[in-house]
Amino acid sequence: MSKLRTPLTELVGIEHPVVQTGMGWVAGARLVAATSNAGGLGILASATMTLEELRTAVAKVKASTDKPFGINIRADAGDALDRVDLLIHEGVKVASFALAPKPDLIARLKDAGVVVIPSVGLAKHAKKVAGWGADAVIVQGGEGGGHTGPIATTLLLPSVLDAVDIPVVAAGGFFDGRGLAAALSYGAAGVAMGTRFLLTSDSTVPDAVKRRYLEAGLDGTVVSTRVDGMPHRVLRTGLVEKLESGSRLRGFSAAVRNAQKFKRMSQMTWRSMISDGLEMRRGKDLSWAQVVMAANTPMLLKAGLVEGNTDAGVLASGQVAGIVDDLPSCAELVESIVRDAAKHLQAAAALVE
């Protein structure tokens, strides 16, 4: 099998420049271990786990693979430091963040030999975290699932590559070897994929829900602010259509109820939820209504992705759901992506006289 050596594979010690993102309720021990065993970088989603659940998940991954893997941590969570300490103590290779960690947290991780890879949505954010000592960044264009920005990967990626000199991993719209070849040609060090890994046989998402993804067309997702107050790319389900057309007041009251459920499930205190909310408001200029809505998301995602309730749940999805039509294993997926990427890169090199 072909090998593609990039600054990402060198930095993390993985075989292939392919990252499985830390999707809440999806990126558990089984998917992460399968991705890492396939030679990519699997990332555990810790935001939807209690600290003890995270400890158990890490133990399960370590029992299933001796390859590098990572943990995605919410830098604004009340117990973020406890999660960082767990990550360091367990010798986990990579710490990834959706919201940028502060310089002291980055320094703490780097002192322990951990590779720090925040996700960013703009070149200015990439410059900021690079200045703080981040080792690499993941940049997600608007085609990506979940919380996303308005700029397409084809423009966002070069803008970030021009702004920083650390490895940049491209996300948003990637699902095959052509995409990896294109990203490497831009100058990226690899690709990160969420929806494509959700749609594998190693993913624990219920089969009926996977079928719902596979049935989606390229126009089968929508970027909605009605889920949690922030732009969120999701599949067009009955609930989403209802949220989009319904009153804001009804959505807000549902959000309050779900926030209470999430509090019980995650064992967060009201105090820590409020302190998280204050941090979110500072960082993203959100209203209190949007902050409460943000606590809505984990429960709506759980209803869809874990309980299989596509009528009452929300299914975060990248636009690639409209083009993916199979459920390979992680090993089959990574192998085919790398093989096809090498083929496309060789074909492109042959054009040069």
Side-chain angles (χ1 to χ4, degrees):
M1 182 180 171
S2 300
K3 286 254 178 109
L4 298 169
R5 197 163 72 195
T6 76
L8 175 69
T9 61
E10 300 288 292
L11 176 67
V12 183
I14 52 178
E15 281 181 80
H16 309 302
V18 177
V19 178
Q20 162 254 304
T21 58
M23 301 162 279
W25 305 118
V26 177
R30 189 169 95 180
L31 185 62
V32 169
T35 303
S36 291
N37 279 328
L41 177 67
I43 297 179
L44 271 174
S46 83
T48 48
M49 298 178 189
T50 64
L51 190 61
E52 280 313 303
E53 286 168 344
L54 177 59
R55 199 184 306 279
T56 302
V58 169
K60 283 182 178 173
V61 176
K62 288 170 79 172
S64 304
T65 186
D66 57 0
K67 305 280 183 69
F69 68 98
I71 299 176
N72 182 263
I73 295 172
R74 265 185 56 184
D76 63 333
D79 63 352
L81 283 180
D82 294 332
R83 290 167 188 260
V84 164
D85 287 343
L86 169 63
L87 183 152
I88 292 169
H89 179 261
E90 293 292 340
V92 175
K93 182 72 179 180
V94 173
S96 92
F97 294 89
L99 294 173
K102 295 291 183 280
D104 55 340
L105 195 56
I106 294 177
R108 184 172 183 163
L109 286 158
K110 290 188 67 165
D111 286 347
V114 178
V115 176
V116 180
I117 309 181
S119 294
V120 296
L122 289 170
K124 66 180 182 181
H125 298 152
K127 281 175 86 165
K128 184 186 286 184
V129 294
W132 289 349
D135 296 292
V137 289
I138 294 174
V139 55
Q140 178 180 301
E143 301 93 321
H147 292 124
T148 197
I151 305 167
T153 304
T154 48
L155 297 172
L156 186 59
L157 177 58
S159 76
V160 173
L161 285 164
D162 288 345
V164 297
D165 57 7
I166 57 175
V168 176
V169 180
F174 295 99
F175 63 96
D176 67 356
R178 291 171 297 183
L180 175 55
L184 296 178
S185 297
Y186 269 103
V191 295
M193 305 183 299
T195 306
R196 175 68 275 202
F197 276 106
L198 183 156
L199 293 171
T200 60
S201 59
D202 294 304
S203 150
T204 56
V205 171
D207 289 343
V209 177
K210 289 179 184 174
R211 279 197 299 277
R212 179 69 188 76
Y213 276 87
L214 293 175
E215 287 163 4
L218 276 173
D219 59 352
T221 64
V222 62
V223 177
S224 173
T225 56
R226 291 294 185 94
V227 175
D228 62 4
M230 293 175 277
H232 202 128
R233 186 177 290 284
V234 294
L235 285 184
R236 290 180 184 275
T237 60
L239 172 68
V240 169
E241 301 291 1
K242 210 179 292 178
L243 285 172
E244 284 290 286
S245 59
S247 81
R248 288 190 180 273
L249 183 62
R250 197 182 306 154
F252 182 65
S253 62
V256 172
R257 288 195 300 275
N258 275 317
Q260 289 174 316
K261 281 191 210 165
F262 181 54
K263 173 183 166 289
R264 284 198 299 273
M265 180 211 75
S266 63
Q267 296 174 4
M268 289 177 85
T269 62
W270 280 115
R271 185 175 178 176
S272 69
M273 284 187 84
I274 290 166
S275 101
D276 284 3
L278 284 167
E279 186 63 37
M280 288 173 77
R281 289 189 79 212
R282 251 201 310 277
K284 292 210 168 179
D285 196 26
L286 301 180
S287 68
W288 272 114
Q290 288 172 317
V291 167
V292 176
M293 291 279 284
N296 199 22
T297 318
M299 301 317 295
L300 289 174
L301 288 170
K302 186 184 185 191
L305 296 169
V306 179
E307 294 156 10
N309 189 341
T310 54
D311 297 324
V314 166
L315 302 173
S317 176
Q319 286 183 302
V320 301
I323 207 166
V324 170
D325 60 6
D326 61 348
L327 298 169
S329 67
C330 288
E332 291 164 340
L333 175 65
V334 173
E335 183 178 343
S336 69
I337 286 176
V338 173
R339 184 182 61 240
D340 289 351
K343 194 169 68 184
H344 283 284
L345 289 168
Q346 285 161 349
L351 299 173
V352 181
E353 289 187 3

